[in-house]
Every structure is written in C-alpha cells, then in structure tokens.
Amino acid sequence: MSSICAKRTLGNSPRTPTRVNYLFPILACLLWGANTIVTKLASGSVGPIDIGFFRWLVAAVVLLPFALPRLRENLPTVRANLGRFLVLGCLGGVMYQCLAYYAAHFTSATNMGVIQALIPLIALALSRVFMGHPVRGTSILGAVISTVGVVAVVSQGDLARLAAQGLNRGDAIMLIGALAFAAYNVLMQRWKIPLSVLESLFLQATAASLILLPVQLLIGTGVNNLTAVGCIGFAAVCASILAPLTWMTGLSRLGAARVSGFFNLVPIVTAALAVLLLGESLSGWVLVGGVLAVSGVVFAEYSARRAVALLNNGTVGR
C-alpha cells in the first residue's frame, strides 16, 4: 500500500489503529448475524416492507432525544448534507435491507450468502475507481481467501450444484443489494460528513423511514402479532442502532476498504449461532470455510497495518 492509500484510508494522520478499533466491526457482525437468526425465527410473521419501515422508524424515534441537541448546534452542516443523508439512507437502510428480504423469496440462502460475500471485493473496486485508492495485491488476496471461505460455508462444498443454479431473479436482486451496501461503505468514507456517528445514524434512519413510508402505506400489511413486534424490536435496537453505530465507528477509524472485509464474518456468525440456538449440525465445510473467512480478514488487515507501520517509519512512499 502506498503512502497515498494509507493516508486516505486512515484519515489525515497515518497512524496505526489500536486493537480496540477492531471490536467495532466485529460487534456489528455479531449483531447482524444474530438478527438473521431472529428473522428466521420470525419467518412469516412480518413482511419485508413492514420490518424495513418499522425498524428504521423505531430506531429514529429512539435516537431522536440523543441526536436532537447536537443537531441543533450543527444545523448548517445538516442542511448542507441533506441530499447525502438521503443517499446513504437509501443505500444502507432501504436498498440493501429490503432487497435482501425480497431476494429470499426467489433464491436460495446459498446463493444469497455467496453474493453477500462479494461485498468486500465490490467495495475494493469502488474505492479504486471512485476514490483513486491503489489496491495492494495482499488486500486482494485476503479478500479472495475470505470469499472462498464463505463460498465453502454456504455451498457446503457442492460447487457444481452452486454453479448449476445460475443467476435467477433473486440472485439479481441480491447482487443489487450487495452493490448498494458496498457503495454505502465507500461513500461514508469519501464524504466524511463532519457530524458524530449518532447524528449521522439518526439522519440515515429518518431518511430510510421517509423513503419507505409511501411504500408502507401502499403495500404494507401491518404488524399483527407479538412475534412480529419482537422481531421488529430486535431489528430496530440491535440491527438498526447498535450494529450501524459500531460499523460506522469502524469505518471512521479504519476506512472503508479495510472494514468491508469484516462483513464476510456475518455468514460465519450466522452459521455458528444457528448451531447454538437452532440446533443445526456443524459440518466440516462450515469449520473449514469459517477458518478461511477469518484468515482472509486477518491477512488483509495485517497487510494494511504493516503498510501503515512502514509509512510511520518513513520507508514507504519515498
């Protein structure tokens, strides 16, 4: 990684991040993985548009008293970036989340997992094209290793079956969702809006709610049972507040290209929780794939830290 890449990834001061910064994207992955389990448990109780709208509406209401005092002090910045928050809310809160729910109706979880695993590679490509980030070969290799691990998990080693299924309507929908989430990560890093993570999340949740409101009024079916209420509550607090807060904190401290790689851990977390909470069997492919996925993330991160350390020592970019 060149000096330019390191400086842009970590901000104005090219310093090596402390280990605690890694906890933020890891915690986000744990929460999103748990949310997948909760969603499976509540399958059939709440529709895609309903959970998409109400989770962000509840999140915005919960965040309002904490964000409002700060927003009043930063009104000029908020007004100047309203369009950007609408874009971020659309990409991360509407497109990725809702498209994933809809994709599940038309494709298998195997295909969804494989396409989801492409997000880090898409983010690397977008960072290269739109932000001019040079991409090190070690970063690409780490992403490939991690992606192979996730493919092994979701396919259970049956690559022929995976290839034979081809690209159906659900695959196309999920691919658009993956592209949206990768673009969200890159734009968060590129724009670097000078507001706190709390303020940013509130504005994104509000934007997502406003975008989904007319759709909810037109085709939403409502919330009719306690299971749906519990699913929405978990999605709102854990998946829509705590997970994005920790994820965006990781983005601000580590950079989009590096944090996106951690997203490959979400299918691994989901598989582990399914074994513990749903009693699903743990196959050898899950173990092997899990090791590969984690190893790819660690390898890419180690390479990035080494590049920054060399930069700090004055041995890179001369």
Side-chain angles (χ1 to χ4, degrees), residues 6-293:
K7 289 179 180 178
R8 288 185 178 178
T9 300
L10 297 177
N12 293 328
S13 59
R15 58 183 178 85
T16 301
T18 60
R19 289 185 177 86
V20 71
N21 290 335
Y22 303 133
L23 295 178
F24 293 108
I26 291 174
L27 179 57
C29 292
L30 289 173
L31 292 171
W32 277 322
N35 186 62
T36 302
I37 300 300
V38 171
T39 301
K40 289 182 179 181
L41 291 172
S43 179
S45 299
V46 58
I49 293 299
D50 298 292
I51 189 172
F53 170 71
F54 285 110
R55 67 183 285 183
W56 291 116
L57 177 62
V58 172
V61 171
V62 171
L63 290 169
L64 177 61
F66 302 100
L68 189 58
R70 300 183 182 185
L71 290 173
R72 288 173 177 170
E73 299 174 359
N74 296 295
L75 279 179
T77 301
V78 173
R79 293 194 186 101
N81 292 280
L82 283 177
R84 291 180 173 180
F85 281 114
L86 284 173
V87 172
L88 293 173
C90 181
L91 290 173
V94 177
M95 291 185 66
Y96 175 68
Q97 301 292 344
C98 292
L99 288 175
Y101 287 123
Y102 275 114
H105 293 285
F106 304 107
T107 190
S108 65
T110 296
N111 282 25
M112 289 179 66
V114 171
I115 294 172
Q116 187 181 64
L118 297 177
I119 290 175
L121 295 178
I122 296 173
L124 282 173
L126 292 177
S127 294
R128 176 67 182 92
V129 173
F130 295 104
M131 296 181 68
H133 282 178
V135 180
R136 288 173 58 88
T138 51
S139 297
I140 296 176
L141 180 58
V144 171
I145 292 173
S146 189
T147 300
V148 169
V150 177
V151 170
V153 170
V154 297
S155 69
Q156 293 293 304
D158 192 352
L159 297 180
R161 178 178 61 84
L162 187 63
Q165 290 181 357
L167 186 69
N168 57 36
R169 190 195 314 180
D171 295 333
I173 293 174
M174 192 63 201
L175 184 58
I176 296 173
L179 177 62
F181 194 72
Y184 167 86
N185 288 330
V186 172
L187 289 177
M188 278 289 296
Q189 178 67 12
R190 180 178 184 180
W191 287 338
K192 293 182 179 178
I193 302 173
L195 293 175
S196 68
V197 172
L198 187 67
E199 294 169 277
S200 179
L201 180 56
F202 168 75
L203 292 171
Q204 291 180 49
T206 301
S209 301
L210 292 175
I211 295 170
L212 286 170
L213 176 59
V215 185
Q216 167 66 25
L217 293 175
L218 287 174
I219 63 175
T221 58
V223 180
N224 305 312
N225 55 69
L226 291 178
T227 302
V229 171
C231 181
I232 291 173
F234 185 92
V237 175
C238 294
S240 300
I241 296 179
L242 296 180
L245 276 175
T246 52
W247 186 258
M248 285 191 292
T249 301
L251 282 174
S252 66
R253 297 190 181 190
L254 297 173
R258 295 167 72 182
V259 170
S260 296
F262 284 86
F263 197 79
N264 264 348
L265 300 179
V266 174
I268 308 304
V269 171
T270 301
L273 291 177
V275 172
L276 295 174
L277 301 179
L278 303 181
E280 296 183 3
S281 60
L282 184 62
S283 69
W285 285 108
V286 171
L287 291 174
V288 173
V291 170
L292 285 174

